[in-house]
Each structure stands twice: as structure tokens, then as C-alpha cells.
Amino acid sequence: METGVEPEDIGQDPEYAGRLEYHGDKENGYTLTIRDLRESDSATYKFRFITDQTRGRYYGDPGVTLSVTGLQVKVTGGHQDKTLTCSTTCTLTDNPTYIWYKNGHIVKEITSSLYSDYFSDADSYSCAVKGHEDLHSAAVCKKCWSVTYTHQSICALKGSTVDISCSYTYPSYHEIKHAFWFTKWSGMEAEDLSSVPGYEGHIEYLGDKKSDCTLRITDLRLNDSAGYRFRFITSGGKVAGSPVSLTVTGNLSHIYYCNYLIKGSHTDTVVYLMEKYQI
């Protein structure tokens, strides 16, 4: 920290709004919890306290370095006998247990990040860390097609921002030509939301041309309630996912009623909203 430069309280930083929680007291110290981690949160964090004494300003040095990483499946081996590695850009703490998924279903829980078996080219594989099963890696496959959503149904408050998390797979020898979200068909073709009047500056495609297809909708309006579908076109085919149902309400009590109606997924949706929007 530079001499004479006042440190910035991250509690006042808009990037951390609604994501920080302090635990502790003035006698025993504080613990900081950061929710909904982003790669941009990677930094060195230092705790500072100020007393009523002259020059009574102190901070911990060298601080705690936090590295935020995502999971990625890497494939090595022969034609069919392959080894999958649940890879990260940094070493995870607490000796995690890795969960392996085949075509979306759990097949193994192990403490090693390696998983070896006989694999079919038509199957898809992904991994997660136990306790954080909602944070899957993108699925990998050689000859498969899929669109997977974290939540099939979402309830959100008017004026808030929602991320519709999504991942997709396609044959490794194909090239992505176009990827977009839509709610309606125009004739025989899906209508790209980014070209629909009223959505300019209102939606943001956070995905890429590899595996992530997350859509962000800001400043939600009541008429944003719809079924949202992701579609991608490759050099050898076209695929569209099933709809994600988004319900926008202006009344907080309607959130819980809405979730009650979404049988089988209302618990996940409530937790998602409470964590993301601090309801």
C-alpha cells in the first residue's frame, strides 16, 4: 500500500454491493464473506481498523490473496480409454471432493480431480465441487449436442437484473457461426432478441462461442415475462434449447407465490433470488 494513500473500503465499492457480509465484533475481530464470486474479485484483501488514539490506524500486511477460478474439463488419453481432469487455474483449498456428471447425471464422487473410464463420443461430461454443485464446469463431448440451463424457471422483481445461466455443447469438429437468445419465431426462423425493438441496451449476452451462453437482462420490466430460449448455429447444424420461464413481478410477495407454482424448482429459484438480489 502506498504511503499517504487512504485504502478504499470495499463496502463502498458498487462492484461489491449486496455481496459482502461481516461476521465478528470489535473485541475478537471480523470475518469477511464474499458471495457470488467473480473472477474480477481476485485480489489481495487486507483488514483495517481505526482506534481513538493518535495515529491509531492499522491494517494487516501482507493480506490474504484470493484467486477466483472456474472449472474446466480437460481430456487426455486414447480413442476410447480417456482420463478427464477437473482443472482450475489455482489450487482449491480444503481438499475438495469432485463430482463427475455424465449426460447431466452424477456418476462418481472422488477426492481426486482425475477420472478415468471408457467413454463414448456421444456422451457429455462435466464436473463440480461438492458443496457447490450449482457451479458446474461446461460439459465436454466429441459428437454431442446440448443446451443446459442452471434454472428452468425464474421469478424476479421488476427493476432488478437477472442472469439466465446457460451452457452448451456441440461436436468438437464444428465451428460456431451464430449464437443468440430468442422468445419468438419469425416465420421459420428464430428472432434474435438483440435485433428486437425494445431490447437494445436491455439485454447483454455474457457467453462466448465455446460453451457459455449466459444471458443478462437488466432493469426488468413486467412485459419481460416470457419463455427464453438459446439457439446456436454451427458449420454443420442448428440447435435450440427448451424455454426458460421468466416471471417478472412488481410485488415481493408475488415472488414466493410464483415460486410455489413452479413445482419441483421453486426452492432453487427462491435461494437464487435471495442471494443475487438480497431480498
Side-chain angles (χ1 to χ4, degrees):
M1 185 179 299
E2 297 180 25
T3 304
V5 177
E6 281 293 307
E8 180 184 358
D9 181 354
I10 61 173
Q12 305 302 315
D13 188 335
E15 289 296 317
Y16 290 93
R19 299 195 296 124
L20 300 180
E21 187 174 337
Y22 295 96
H23 307 272
D25 53 51
K26 292 183 178 180
E27 294 182 359
N28 301 310
Y30 290 88
T31 297
L32 172 67
T33 299
I34 308 175
R35 291 187 295 271
D36 189 21
L37 281 170
R38 309 163 182 170
E39 289 191 9
S40 59
D41 293 332
S42 297
T44 297
Y45 292 81
K46 299 180 180 181
F47 177 70
R48 190 185 197 214
F49 65 97
I50 302 173
T51 72
D52 57 0
Q53 302 298 309
T54 303
R55 302 177 63 85
R57 298 167 181 258
Y58 307 92
Y59 65 88
D61 209 10
V64 177
T65 299
L66 171 65
S67 298
V68 181
T69 182
L71 300 175
Q72 180 183 6
V73 175
K74 295 183 177 180
V75 183
T76 56
H79 178 62
Q80 291 178 322
D81 294 322
K82 297 181 176 66
T83 297
L84 305 183
T85 303
C86 194
S87 176
T88 59
T89 56
C90 63
T91 302
L92 299 178
T93 57
D94 301 327
N95 298 316
T97 295
Y98 294 89
I99 302 175
W100 286 96
Y101 298 82
K102 175 181 178 180
N103 300 326
H105 301 287
I106 296 176
V107 291
K108 205 170 190 67
E109 292 189 19
I110 50 178
T111 55
S112 170
S113 61
L114 303 179
Y115 175 39
S116 299
D117 207 339
Y118 172 88
F119 299 106
S120 165
D121 289 343
D123 294 324
S124 67
Y125 301 89
S126 61
C127 65
V129 172
K130 192 167 186 177
H132 303 280
E133 288 85 350
D134 56 327
L135 302 176
H136 276 228
S137 71
V140 296
C141 63
K142 190 172 182 180
K143 296 180 180 178
C144 63
W145 301 83
S146 70
V147 175
T148 304
Y149 306 117
T150 302
H151 300 284
Q152 200 71 44
S153 301
I154 299 173
C155 294
L157 283 172
K158 177 184 176 182
S160 65
T161 294
V162 68
D163 289 350
I164 304 179
S165 300
C166 166
S167 63
Y168 64 107
T169 62
Y170 54 92
S172 57
Y173 51 88
H174 284 217
E175 178 185 353
I176 294 293
K177 297 295 186 181
H178 189 35
F180 60 95
W181 285 80
F182 71 99
T183 59
K184 299 177 181 178
W185 293 86
S186 178
M188 296 297 292
E189 290 297 324
E191 191 173 9
D192 187 341
L193 273 183
S194 64
S195 63
V196 175
Y199 280 97
E200 183 179 356
H202 184 50
I203 62 170
E204 181 181 359
Y205 180 58
L206 303 180
D208 52 37
K209 289 190 174 182
K210 295 180 180 179
S211 61
D212 186 6
C213 47
T214 299
L215 175 71
R216 173 170 292 171
I217 309 176
T218 60
D219 192 20
L220 283 169
R221 306 167 296 205
L222 295 180
N223 60 5
D224 288 327
S225 296
Y228 290 79
R229 302 177 66 181
F230 176 71
R231 179 174 173 83
F232 65 97
I233 302 171
T234 75
S235 51
K238 302 178 181 180
V239 173
S242 58
V244 173
S245 174
L246 172 64
T247 302
V248 182
T249 177
N251 190 324
L252 180 59
S253 63
H254 290 172
I255 287 284
Y256 300 99
Y257 179 66
C258 163
N259 288 313
Y260 174 76
L261 295 178
I262 302 173
K263 296 181 180 179
S265 63
H266 67 277
T267 301
D268 288 342
T269 311
V270 171
V271 171
Y272 173 75
L273 286 166
M274 290 182 70
E275 288 183 348
K276 196 160 189 67
Y277 306 119
Q278 297 302 293
I279 292 174

